Structures are given as structure tokens and as C-alpha cells.
């Protein structure tokens, strides 16, 4: 028995043909996209506005009561 006969790389096997499956389903995130990105953006915008309101209100409070 030669090396070529024992080696699967040297054999004359044909590659298996890929057949399309009739029950193919796309990934879940393609069918039902997530709103996570939208909610993350809203969350960060709310945090930003709360910080801006806090800074403005503390500045006004400081000017009003300590000047």
C-alpha cells in the first residue's frame, strides 16, 4: 500500500456537493432585529441632559445664594 492510497488528500474522492436545504432559516437577528442600539442612544442622551441640567442648576444655585 503506497502513501498515496492511505492519504485522504491523495485520494480521488470528489468533494461533496453542497445542496441547499429546503428548511433553511435566516439568523434570528435578521428576522427580529434588536432595538438595543436605539435604547442605548436614548439612555446616553438622557444621562447627558441630566448632567447638563445638574451643572446649570448648581451654577444658578451658587450664584443666587453665595454671591
Amino acid at each position: 500500500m503506497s502513501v498515496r492510497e492511505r492519504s485522504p488528500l491523495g485520494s480521488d474522492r470528489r468533494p461533496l456537493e453542497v445542496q441547499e436545504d429546503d428548511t433553511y432559516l435566516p439568523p434570528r437577528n435578521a428576522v427580529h432585529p434588536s432595538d438595543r442600539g436605539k435604547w442605548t442612544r436614548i439612555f446616553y442622551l438622557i444621562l447627558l441632559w441630566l448632567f447638563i441640567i445638574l451643572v446649570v442648576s448648581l451654577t444658578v444655585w451658587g450664584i443666587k445664594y453665595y454671591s
Side-chain angles (χ1 to χ4, degrees):
M1 186 179 262
S2 69
V3 175
R4 182 171 173 87
E5 292 172 357
R6 285 184 279 156
S7 172
L9 296 176
S11 67
D12 291 333
R13 290 187 293 170
R14 287 182 240 139
L16 297 175
E17 293 182 17
V18 178
Q19 298 177 1
E20 287 196 26
D21 192 9
D22 292 336
T23 60
Y24 169 76
L25 295 174
R28 186 189 183 284
N29 59 0
V31 176
H32 305 283
S34 174
D35 290 338
R36 179 179 290 179
K38 182 179 104 174
W39 288 110
T40 303
R41 179 174 164 81
I42 290 171
F43 174 73
Y44 285 125
L45 283 174
I46 289 172
L47 281 180
L48 175 66
W49 280 108
L50 286 174
F51 179 73
I52 291 170
I53 291 170
L54 176 68
V55 170
V56 169
S57 62
L58 287 175
T59 303
V60 169
W61 179 66
I63 291 170
K64 184 175 181 180
Y65 290 107
Y66 290 105
S67 57

